[in-house]
Amino acid sequence: MTIHLVVLQNFIHEEEDTGLETTRARYPTLFCLLSVQNVLKRHGDLKEELSRDSDKCIYERLDREFDAAQAAQTEEIHLEGEQWNDGLLATIRELVHMEAEKKAMAGDTGLPDHHFHRRTTYRVGNKVICCLEGARFGIQYATYFAGDFCEYYHCVLESKSFLEKMTVNEHTVPFFLPIREAETDLLSSNSMKFIDYVGDLVQSYVDRREQVRLIKELYGNQIGESYHSLSFHIIEFELNDFDCKVIVSLRYADLVSTLPTRIRVLAWPIHPSKKKVMGTRAMDIKENERPIAQSAPIRLTYAEDAFGTMSLPEAYAEMVLSLPQAIRENFNHLRLATSSFDSS
């Protein structure tokens, strides 16, 4: 298809006096391929848009359902430490099924529905657990960054009976976070651990995402090309506003980590003649100075240590603060070694 498209593009440029209808009649296959490609692209765009709209609708509906459940509560119980345990979770499940059975019985007999005389919600840290309609209960996770609230995520669990295993009915966790894998691995064997893990998953994701947002907001004029995965567990960016090119590469061991575990900060010297073209600032390096005969990058270990122990904005500031001295120490050493080698 690519070859056909190139041929068509060249033909149209060369035959400027040929009308579109004439070209369509002469090359029907090419226009058919173009049409198919356009349809596939529009289908992909539409599918992505519908997916976003669907996720938004689910979020808005669950958000309203949780708001209604909390507004109708008669008591809120705050749990700390060992108060949040498997026994309490089993009690919540039992209450959910008892309420569903009472409501079904009231509906069968035509009696008024008074079974919601007592509504209890449970707050565990940043989690709020509510009993919902239809033998379901949900967990609303509040996420924060630097002490400020960011957004809510929801996870609704259900089971056909108290004795059967629970499943995830629906959720608003981003699709690239492995909630379904966690459901398979944890929910049937350790429901409390699953609930806590999902909370750690979304909070860590928000933390990494907001760190990247903040570092771009504060230092965007110094950062060149950058890349991050959807879940922000792979982050890379480069700096060109100095007398060397610096590339920072961060990898997180898992999706509940907020500090990277695999860190590489590499620096390459910039040829003096390229500094004018790049518009970077110089550090007292003469224009006629020899380029450094060094193709391999230099690891900035002090910066790697900073990224391994600090948040991204803090580590970035630490790296930049000590970068001029690191450049002088490493690159001047290389220049001296190169000069000695050439003179011998």
Side-chain angles (χ1 to χ4, degrees):
M1 181 182 288
T2 303
I3 296 174
H4 286 103
L5 296 179
V6 172
V7 171
L8 177 59
Q9 185 180 21
N10 292 338
F11 176 83
I12 292 175
H13 283 297
E14 292 173 2
E15 304 290 338
E16 295 180 356
D17 59 337
T18 301
L20 180 61
E21 293 302 323
T22 303
T23 306
R24 187 192 302 275
R26 187 176 300 178
Y27 295 94
T29 304
L30 298 181
F31 274 90
C32 181
L33 291 172
L34 278 174
S35 299
V36 172
Q37 185 186 44
N38 289 334
V39 169
L40 290 175
K41 183 179 184 303
R42 291 182 63 185
H43 177 267
D45 293 341
L46 181 60
K47 182 178 179 181
E48 182 179 355
E49 183 178 349
L50 290 174
S51 176
R52 289 197 302 267
D53 292 343
S54 176
D55 292 343
K56 183 179 179 181
C57 290
I58 294 174
Y59 180 89
E60 292 175 349
R61 176 169 51 77
L62 287 180
D63 204 40
R64 289 194 300 267
E65 191 171 0
F66 274 83
D67 285 346
Q70 293 181 65
Q73 72 183 23
T74 57
E75 64 175 339
E76 181 179 86
I77 299 177
H78 290 255
L79 305 173
E80 297 181 1
E82 296 183 355
Q83 290 178 320
W84 169 235
N85 53 49
D86 291 323
L88 176 65
L89 187 57
T91 300
I92 296 174
R93 288 190 62 193
E94 186 176 10
L95 287 174
V96 165
H97 285 282
M98 288 175 61
E99 297 290 349
E101 290 173 3
K102 288 179 182 179
K103 185 171 183 180
M105 291 175 63
D108 293 339
T109 59
L111 297 176
D113 182 10
H114 299 302
H115 73 286
F116 279 122
H117 63 281
R118 178 186 171 203
R119 289 176 179 261
T120 304
T121 61
Y122 301 86
R123 187 175 296 273
V124 188
N126 295 338
K127 299 184 288 290
V128 173
I129 303 174
C130 301
C131 297
L132 303 175
E133 297 283 349
R136 301 177 305 148
F137 73 91
I139 306 94
Q140 184 183 65
Y141 300 94
T143 57
Y144 296 84
F145 178 71
D148 295 328
F149 171 77
C150 289
E151 58 206 347
Y152 288 117
Y153 293 94
H154 313 85
C155 181
V156 177
L157 304 178
E158 68 172 356
S159 59
K160 294 181 179 179
S161 71
F162 175 68
L163 298 176
E164 294 189 37
K165 70 175 184 178
M166 290 187 293
T167 59
V168 175
N169 174 256
E170 54 186 346
H171 65 87
T172 59
V173 177
F175 72 91
F176 45 79
L177 298 180
I179 185 171
R180 292 299 179 183
E181 290 82 348
E183 177 184 8
T184 301
D185 296 339
L186 297 176
L187 187 54
S188 60
S189 60
N190 194 327
S191 302
M192 192 181 80
K193 188 174 182 180
F194 167 82
I195 293 172
D196 290 342
Y197 174 76
V198 173
D200 293 340
L201 198 64
V202 294
Q203 178 57 59
S204 299
Y205 158 70
V206 168
D207 195 277
R208 294 190 302 269
R209 183 195 67 192
E210 292 302 302
Q211 287 187 57
V212 171
R213 179 195 59 78
L214 185 58
I215 198 174
K216 289 183 177 180
E217 180 180 312
L218 296 175
Y219 308 107
N221 61 321
Q222 298 175 349
I223 296 175
E225 293 184 6
S226 63
Y227 163 80
H228 62 78
S229 60
L230 288 174
S231 57
F232 290 87
H233 74 296
I234 299 175
I235 301 170
E236 294 181 353
F237 58 89
E238 66 177 43
L239 288 72
N240 287 323
D241 196 30
F242 300 91
D243 289 312
C244 61
K245 179 177 181 179
V246 179
I247 293 182
V248 179
S249 178
L250 309 174
R251 302 289 188 275
Y252 294 76
D254 50 54
L255 295 179
V256 295
S257 299
T258 56
L259 288 175
T261 51
R262 292 175 52 195
I263 307 164
R264 286 292 180 272
V265 182
L266 305 176
W268 285 265
I270 297 177
H271 192 291
S273 63
K274 293 182 180 179
K275 291 175 185 174
K276 289 184 178 180
V277 177
M278 298 179 63
T280 58
R281 50 192 176 140
M283 286 175 45
D284 301 326
I285 299 179
K286 299 178 181 179
E287 286 297 325
N288 60 353
E289 187 175 2
R290 295 170 55 88
I292 302 175
Q294 172 70 21
S295 59
I298 295 172
R299 285 184 61 181
L300 301 179
T301 55
Y302 80 93
E304 294 177 354
D305 293 339
F307 280 107
T309 56
M310 304 177 182
S311 69
L312 285 184
E314 293 174 323
Y316 183 95
E318 178 70 18
M319 175 182 67
V320 171
L321 182 65
S322 303
L323 188 57
Q325 180 179 353
I327 292 174
R328 283 193 295 268
E329 291 177 354
N330 287 283
F331 293 165
N332 285 341
H333 173 73
L334 289 174
R335 289 191 185 96
L336 291 173
T338 302
S339 300
S340 301
F341 179 79
D342 290 343
S343 61
S344 60

